Every structure is written in C-alpha cells, then in structure tokens.
Amino acid sequence: VIEASQGNDAASEDALKEAILSDSEDLGVRTAQVYVALKQGKLNAMKDLANGLARDAGSRSEVNYYLATVLNATQQYSESQKRFEMAVLSDPANYPMYIERANQALVLVSSQRVTDKDTVAYQFLVASAFFEAALAAKPDSPEALTGMAIASLLQARPADSVRYAKSATAAGPTYAAGFYVY
C-alpha cells in the first residue's frame, strides 16, 4: 500500500505477491489488493476483489467504500448510494468515503453530465457538504482540502481556492494533487 501510494507500482506488486503467498485469505491482504487496484485504475480487478470481500466482510466500512467506488464507476448509482450509506453508518469517521462522494458530485459538474443551473448549484452544495464532513472527521486531510480548492475553482472563487490549496499543501507536503491545484 505504501509503495502504491508513492507510485512505485513494481515494488507494490512485489509486496502484494509476497503477502498473497503468506496468507491470501487475510482481510488486510485482500483489502490492500483492492486499494492497489483502485490506485492503479484497474477497475475490473478492483471489481472482482471488492465483490470477494463483500461476500466475506460486507459489513465492514472499508469494504463498502470500495464497493461504492466500483459501483459508481460502473454507473450503478443506486447501489453505490446504498454502499456509501452502509460505509458511513458503520464508521461515521470514514473520511475517504465522504471525499469519494464529493468527488462524484464534482465529476457530474466538470464532465457536464449535468448542465441545468439549479442542478449544478446543487451538486456544488453536495460536494462542499461532503468535503466539509471529511474535514470534520479529519481536519488535516489534504485530499479534502484539495477537493474544496477544486470546488472553489470550478465555482470561480479564486481566493477560496487558493486558501484551500495552500492549506492542502501544508497538510500534505507529499500529496502531489494539492500542489498541482495550488
């Protein structure tokens, strides 16, 4: 997971192979596999791995996070919403789930899948509310601060965007996305 987070895909794959050989049924190993697949954008692998975890540990917050992410990516929105709810009900401090839900709202706007003025405004409110929920759970989250910076930027609020982006770089000095947005 650490290697994948740092972009060292080969080292991450090597570590996963070793972990799988050690104990392929361990929930930590299986969760790490899903995380790495998500980080590397391997949706099909992530889908298979997350579904396997759902069969064995479907009530766990992190499993529902991954399922919500996969279901959203495969345009199964109502099922994704159910898994989102399950994730935050089982762990209200699951800040990555709030960030994921906020990002989904921003994707609707930035991809122009919604264009009606009121719907766009609503999606920005949704994104802001979920980024704020993530910040309530983890006030120093560079991901949530970066998300707020992007939302502010998309709403033509440059001063807010710069303030959030600057906070993101301070909170996550190794979080590249925060620096990119800043």
Side-chain angles (χ1 to χ4, degrees):
V1 168
I2 291 170
E3 296 292 354
S5 295
Q6 295 176 347
N8 302 328
D9 292 343
S12 177
E13 290 296 326
D14 289 343
L16 272 178
K17 287 177 188 174
E18 188 175 320
I20 291 166
L21 287 173
S22 175
D23 187 357
S24 64
E25 293 303 312
D26 180 78
L27 285 177
V29 171
R30 293 169 65 200
T31 303
Q33 286 178 282
V34 178
Y35 172 84
V36 171
L38 172 63
K39 195 78 172 162
Q40 295 175 347
K42 297 178 180 176
L43 184 60
N44 287 335
M46 184 183 165
K47 184 178 178 181
D48 293 341
L49 293 164
N51 285 332
L53 277 174
R55 284 189 297 275
D56 299 334
S59 63
R60 293 175 61 111
S61 182
E62 61 272 18
V63 171
N64 284 302
Y65 164 79
Y66 291 125
L67 287 167
T69 302
V70 167
L71 291 164
N72 184 71
T74 57
Q75 300 180 354
Q76 298 174 58
Y77 302 119
S78 62
E79 288 300 312
S80 175
Q81 180 65 27
K82 288 177 191 173
R83 290 299 180 158
F84 162 76
E85 291 169 3
M86 291 170 70
V88 297
L89 285 172
S90 66
D91 180 7
N94 183 343
Y95 77 95
M97 187 74 261
Y98 298 119
I99 293 168
E100 177 66 23
R101 181 61 187 91
N103 286 337
Q104 291 169 2
L106 288 183
V107 165
L108 289 174
V109 174
S110 64
S111 67
Q112 298 182 342
R113 289 190 354 220
V114 295
T115 56
D116 173 76
K117 183 180 176 182
D118 291 338
T119 306
V120 168
Y122 172 74
Q123 291 302 324
F124 278 127
L125 287 174
V126 167
S128 294
F130 283 116
F131 283 132
E132 289 172 9
L135 288 169
K138 186 175 182 196
D140 63 342
S141 167
E143 301 90 350
L145 291 163
T146 300
M148 289 294 283
I150 293 169
S152 298
L153 186 63
L154 290 172
Q155 294 175 82
R157 295 188 348 242
D160 290 341
S161 183
V162 169
R163 181 172 51 86
Y164 284 118
K166 185 175 182 180
S167 296
T169 62
T174 61
Y175 184 62
F179 283 91
Y180 178 78
V181 172
Y182 187 51

